[in-house]
């Protein structure tokens, strides 16, 4: 649990029906809302989750090849209590990634530990943390170059993302008639002790249950 007694959820999205290569799938780790006031990051994450569990052909392709670990709300205490930037310790969690404290920064501490456990067992292709910006509009990316030097914050030009408008229209159209595939998504608390695996797949599918247990075993062991 968090300092305020709230649960920090972790979602696992992949194709649990196909178990032949699940152990070989690379991980894409996504998190959002480390800054409580940046509510637009939750809006983007919601749309992303809805797409990943849809019947869109691209989403199906991704689920069969990747395991998505998603923390939709990394600072639930701050959100619940109406903070703009800090948690209940009065600190900005996004400034304490190097040496997070289990007491003062419990969610980022647990998530960094989980990332390390995942990276030790399979490749982590990408980690992305979704934010909002007080003045910058549209899309922007901020990251590290190969030599670990901070890259320049640079908004994308419209001609660099000319495909997004059409793709978004197609995705929204698909959402109106799609349903979540069985065996696609699981949810459990990232902060919980002795977390039990659960899957939305059919109870009669032993393969899906085994795949779900395998996919979540890393998370459960790293949070204990």
């Amino acid at each position: 649990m968090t300092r305020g007694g709230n649960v920090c959820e972790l979602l696992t999205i992949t194709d649990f029906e196909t178990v032949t290569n699940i152990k070989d799938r690379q991980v894409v780790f996504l998190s959002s809302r480390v800054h409580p006031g940046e509510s637009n990051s939750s809006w983007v994450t919601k749309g992303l989750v809805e797409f990943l569990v849809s019947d869109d052909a691209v989403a199906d392709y991704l689920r069969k090849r990747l395991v998505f670990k998603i923390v939709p709300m990394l600072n639930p205490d701050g959100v619940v209590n109406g903070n703009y930037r800090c948690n209940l310790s009065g600190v900005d969690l996004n400034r304490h990634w190097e040496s997070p404290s289990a007491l003062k920064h419990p969610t980022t501490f647990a998530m960094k530990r989980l990332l390390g456990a995942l990276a030790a067992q399979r490749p982590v292709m990408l980690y992305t943390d979704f934010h909002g910006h007080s003045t910058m509009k549209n899309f922007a990316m901020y990251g590290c170059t190969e030599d670990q030097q901070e890259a320049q914050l640079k908004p994308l030009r419209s001609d660099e993302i000319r495909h997004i408008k059409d793709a978004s229209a197609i995705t929204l159209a698909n959402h109106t008639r799609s349903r979540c595939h069985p065996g696609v998504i699981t949810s459990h608390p990232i902060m919980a002790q002795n977390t039990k695996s659960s899957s939305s797949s059919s109870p009669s599918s032993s393969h899906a249950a085994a795949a779900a247990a395998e996919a979540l075993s890393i998370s459960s062991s790293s949070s204990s």
Side-chain angles (χ1 to χ4, degrees), residues 18-79:
T18 307
V19 299
T20 54
N21 68 336
I22 193 169
K23 292 183 178 180
D24 300 323
R25 295 175 193 169
Q26 297 186 63
V27 171
V28 172
F29 206 114
L30 309 170
S31 62
S32 179
R33 211 65 185 273
V34 68
H35 292 145
E38 297 171 5
S39 55
N40 47 349
S41 64
S42 287
W43 183 78
V44 172
T45 302
K46 179 179 183 291
L48 177 62
V49 170
E50 289 177 347
F51 170 74
L52 288 175
V53 300
S54 74
D55 59 1
D56 187 280
V58 175
D60 181 66
Y61 178 90
L62 293 173
R63 290 194 302 266
K64 283 181 167 60
R65 290 160 177 80
L66 299 167
V67 175
F68 291 88
K69 296 283 188 179
I70 304 175
V71 181
M73 189 169 291
L74 193 53
N75 188 355
D77 285 353
V79 173

Side-chain angles (χ1 to χ4, degrees), residues 11-172:
L11 304 179
T12 299
I13 299 177
T14 192
D15 183 355
F16 292 117
E17 299 291 341
T18 307
V19 299
T20 54
N21 68 336
I22 193 169
K23 292 183 178 180
D24 300 323
R25 295 175 193 169
Q26 297 186 63
V27 171
V28 172
F29 206 114
L30 309 170
S31 62
S32 179
R33 211 65 185 273
V34 68
H35 292 145
E38 297 171 5
S39 55
N40 47 349
S41 64
S42 287
W43 183 78
V44 172
T45 302
K46 179 179 183 291
L48 177 62
V49 170
E50 289 177 347
F51 170 74
L52 288 175
V53 300
S54 74
D55 59 1
D56 187 280
V58 175
D60 181 66
Y61 178 90
L62 293 173
R63 290 194 302 266
K64 283 181 167 60
R65 290 160 177 80
L66 299 167
V67 175
F68 291 88
K69 296 283 188 179
I70 304 175
V71 181
M73 189 169 291
L74 193 53
N75 188 355
D77 285 353
V79 173
V80 169
N81 289 277
N83 292 357
Y84 184 76
R85 199 165 181 85
C86 300
N87 70 346
L88 291 188
S89 299
V91 297
D92 184 342
L93 292 174
N94 203 44
R95 298 295 183 269
H96 292 83
W97 282 108
E98 185 172 355
S99 301
S101 163
L103 176 62
K104 294 182 178 180
H105 329 112
T107 55
T108 49
F109 175 87
M111 202 185 83
K112 185 175 180 179
R113 188 178 178 187
L114 172 58
L115 268 169
L118 288 168
Q121 297 194 26
R122 64 178 75 192
V124 176
M125 174 188 289
L126 173 71
Y127 169 62
T128 298
D129 189 29
F130 292 96
H131 288 257
H133 199 276
S134 59
T135 59
M136 189 171 293
K137 299 179 180 180
N138 299 319
F139 296 89
M141 296 182 183
Y142 188 61
C144 297
T145 58
E146 292 183 359
D147 60 359
Q148 300 303 307
Q149 297 297 314
E150 292 183 344
Q152 181 181 1
L153 186 63
K154 178 184 178 183
L156 298 179
R157 301 191 310 273
S158 59
D159 61 330
E160 293 176 315
I161 54 174
R162 56 185 177 275
H163 64 285
I164 289 182
K165 182 177 180 181
D166 294 335
S168 299
I170 294 172
T171 300
L172 288 173

